[in-house]
C-alpha cells in the first residue's frame, strides 16, 4: 500500500500538519522538525502528493504548453527543450495541440479546468488576440516565438523576422544570384508577413535582382514540395529563401526528383536550423533561430509572472545568425 502522510507523521512523532508544512514550499517549520520528517519520509519511501498539496497552496505546478503545428518535426525539438526546462524547475507541462484552431475560447476553458498556473503559447502563426485571451481570463501567459512589439499586451519572447528576411536577401545578393524567390509560409502568419517585408525591403537596394514570392499552405514538407514543383513547372529561379527548414527540405526533394542539383542548378536557404538541416544528406544553409535561448527565456518569464502576476508585459527580441552549409553557391573568391 502507498505510504501516507499519516504514516510519516507517526514515524517522525509529529503531527500530520507538521509533515504537510515540511513539504509545502514557503511554509514555516522548525529545522528539528524538518529533519525528523525528512528522515521518516526517506525510511518509508514517501513522496508528497503534488495534486493534494495543490489544494492547500492553490498552485498545481502545471504549465500549459500550446502549439498549432505538430506536423513540423521542429516541434519535437521545441517540446523536448520546453518540457526539460519546465521539469528542471519542478513544473509539469500540459501539452495542448491546437492544429487548425484559431479561436481561443475552448482552449482557455480547458486550461482553466485543469487549473494551470500559467500558459506558454509556442506559435508564430496563431494571432496575437488568441494569446491575449489568456491574460484577459486571468491566466499568466507568455507568447514564445511570437512577434515582439514596443507596447505588448502580453509577454513576448521572439526574434526580428523582418531582419531575418533582410539577412536572407543579403546572403543571396552577395552570392551573385539575380533571379530569386521566397517560398513563404502561410500568408496570414505574422512571421511570414515580416520575413517577406524584410526580404523585399533589402532587395529594393539591389536593382539588378528580380524577386517573387510564393506562399505555401503551411510550414510543412508537403507544402514545400508542392510549391517547388509549381516553380519548376513555371521555370525555377536561381535561388530561394524558404519560410522554414521543413519547407526547404520539401523544396530540396522536389528539385532532386526533377533531376536538378542543389546548389548547382538552384540554391536554397532555409530558416530555423532544425536538427534535420544538419544531416549530411540535407546540409542546408539556413538562418538559425535561437530556440534554446527563446525557450529558456520563456520559461524563466512564466515562472516570474506566475509569482508576480501584476508585472507589466515585456517583449524580448533575440538575434539570429547565418549558418553556412552546402545549399548555396560560395561567395565570390571562396572557391
Amino acid at each position: 500500500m502507498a505510504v501516507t502522510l499519516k504514516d510519516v507523521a507517526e514515524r517522525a512523532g509529529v503531527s500530520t500538519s507538521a509533515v504537510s508544512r515540511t513539504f509545502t514550499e514557503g511554509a514555516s517549520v522548525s529545522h528539528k522538525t524538518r529533519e525528523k520528517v525528512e528522515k521518516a519520509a526517506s525510511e518509508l519511501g514517501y513522496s508528497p502528493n503534488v495534486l493534494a498539496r495543490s489544494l492547500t497552496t492553490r498552485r498545481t505546478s502545471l504549465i500549459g504548453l500550446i502549439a498549432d503545428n505538430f506536423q513540423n518535426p521542429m516541434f519535437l525539438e521545441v517540446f523536448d527543450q520546453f518540457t526539460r526546462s519546465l521539469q528542471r524547475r519542478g513544473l509539469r507541462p500540459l501539452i495542448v495541440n491546437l492544429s487548425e484552431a484559431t479561436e481561443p475560447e475552448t482552449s482557455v476553458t480547458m486550461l482553466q479546468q485543469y487549473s494551470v498556473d500559467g500558459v506558454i503559447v509556442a506559435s508564430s502563426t496563431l494571432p496575437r488576440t488568441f494569446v491575449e485571451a489568456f491574460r484577459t481570463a486571468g491566466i499568466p501567459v507568455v507568447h514564445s516565438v511570437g512577434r515582439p512589439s514596443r507596447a505588448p499586451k502580453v509577454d513576448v519572447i521572439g526574434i526580428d523576422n523582418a531582419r531575418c528576411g533582410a539577412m536572407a536577401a543579403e546572403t543571396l545578393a552577395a552570392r551573385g544570384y539575380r533571379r530569386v524567390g521566397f517560398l513563404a509560409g502561410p500568408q496570414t502568419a505574422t512571421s511570414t508577413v515580416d520575413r517577406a517585408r524584410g526580404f523585399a525591403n533589402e532587395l529594393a537596394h539591389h536593382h539588378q535582382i528580380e524577386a517573387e514570392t510564393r506562399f505555401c499552405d503551411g510550414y510543412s514538407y508537403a507544402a514545400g514540395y508542392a510549391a517547388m514543383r509549381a516553380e519548376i513547372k513555371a521555370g525555377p529561379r536561381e535561388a530561394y529563401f524558404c519560410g522554414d527548414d521543413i519547407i526547404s527540405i520539401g523544396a530540396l526533394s522536389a528539385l532532386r526528383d526533377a533531376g536538378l542539383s542543389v546548389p548547382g542548378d538552384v540554391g536554397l536557404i532555409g530558416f530555423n536550423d532544425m536538427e534535420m538541416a544538419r544531416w549530411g544528406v540535407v546540409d542546408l544553409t539556413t538562418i538559425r533561430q535561437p530556440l534554446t535561448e527563446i525557450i529558456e527565456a520563456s520559461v524563466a518569464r512564466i515562472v516570474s509572472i506566475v509569482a508576480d502576476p501584476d508585472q507589466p508585459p515585456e517583449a524580448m527580441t533575440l538575434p539570429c545568425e547565418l549558418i553556412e552549409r552546402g545549399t548555396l553557391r560560395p561567395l565570390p573568391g571562396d572557391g
Side-chain angles (χ1 to χ4, degrees):
M1 294 180 64
V3 178
T4 67
L5 184 145
K6 182 179 179 181
D7 296 329
V8 176
E10 291 176 351
R11 171 68 69 94
V14 300
S15 66
T16 55
S17 63
V19 177
S20 177
R21 291 197 306 276
T22 298
F23 293 108
T24 299
E25 186 176 354
S28 176
V29 61
S30 71
H31 178 70
K32 182 178 180 181
T33 297
R34 182 180 297 279
E35 283 189 333
K36 290 165 65 176
V37 170
E38 289 178 347
K39 182 174 183 294
S42 176
E43 292 171 351
L44 294 172
Y46 171 78
S47 295
N49 186 316
V50 176
L51 292 177
R53 186 173 63 190
S54 70
L55 297 175
T56 301
T57 63
R58 298 185 181 275
R59 293 278 178 85
T60 62
S61 297
L62 278 172
I63 300 296
L65 179 55
I66 294 176
D68 64 338
N69 190 6
F70 276 64
Q71 294 83 13
N72 192 324
M74 186 193 75
F75 275 86
L76 293 176
E77 299 177 41
V78 170
F79 288 140
D80 174 56
Q81 292 193 46
F82 261 123
T83 52
R84 286 192 286 115
S85 183
L86 288 167
Q87 288 165 185
R88 281 198 303 271
R89 293 167 168 84
L91 301 171
R92 293 170 294 151
L94 177 64
I95 296 176
V96 180
N97 183 349
L98 293 186
S99 297
E100 301 181 1
T102 56
E103 299 301 324
E105 288 78 12
T106 300
S107 303
V108 170
T109 300
M110 179 178 66
L111 291 169
Q112 285 175 324
Q113 290 171 341
Y114 279 98
S115 299
V116 297
D117 291 340
V119 171
I120 297 173
V121 179
S123 171
S124 64
T125 57
L126 286 170
R128 186 177 296 169
T129 53
F130 187 102
V131 185
E132 292 170 359
F134 291 94
R135 183 176 175 88
T136 300
I139 302 174
V141 61
V142 170
H143 192 182
S144 189
V145 297
R147 179 196 244 177
S149 64
R150 291 185 178 179
K153 294 183 179 179
V154 299
D155 288 87
V156 183
I157 316 290
I159 59 171
D160 184 344
N161 277 295
R163 175 64 197 128
C164 292
M167 189 184 303
E170 291 166 355
T171 301
L172 297 181
R175 282 154 181 76
Y177 292 110
R178 295 295 176 261
R179 296 182 64 252
V180 303
F182 179 28
L183 294 188
Q187 191 167 2
T188 57
T190 59
S191 53
T192 297
V193 172
D194 291 345
R195 289 171 204 165
R197 173 166 52 85
F199 190 68
N201 287 347
E202 176 58 32
L203 290 181
H205 301 298
H206 302 271
H207 303 293
Q208 74 279 20
I209 298 179
E210 175 195 343
E212 69 172 16
T213 296
R214 181 184 293 272
F215 295 99
C216 296
D217 294 337
Y219 288 118
S220 69
Y221 174 93
Y225 190 95
M228 184 54 76
R229 282 291 298 270
E231 287 290 310
I232 292 168
K233 186 175 180 179
R237 293 183 168 259
E238 295 177 328
Y240 292 88
F241 170 40
C242 298
D244 78 345
D245 289 347
I246 198 66
I247 288 177
S248 302
I249 294 169
L252 178 64
S253 295
L255 288 164
R256 288 175 174 170
D257 287 350
L260 297 171
S261 70
V262 177
D265 295 313
V266 177
L268 295 176
I269 178 172
F271 184 85
N272 272 329
D273 195 31
M274 61 188 291
E275 182 181 358
M276 199 181 300
R278 307 162 207 165
W279 295 357
V281 70
V282 177
D283 196 31
L284 181 67
T285 297
T286 189
I287 294 172
R288 175 180 289 164
Q289 180 171 204
L291 277 178
T292 298
E293 293 85 351
I294 289 172
I295 288 167
E296 286 300 316
S298 298
V299 172
R301 187 58 184 161
I302 196 66
V303 169
S304 176
I305 59 178
V306 165
D308 181 9
D310 294 328
Q311 298 178 65
E314 297 179 355
M316 180 184 296
T317 304
L318 298 174
C320 295
E321 64 175 315
L322 176 68
I323 304 299
E324 299 267 12
R325 294 198 181 96
T327 55
L328 289 180
R329 66 171 66 141
L331 286 164
D334 283 359

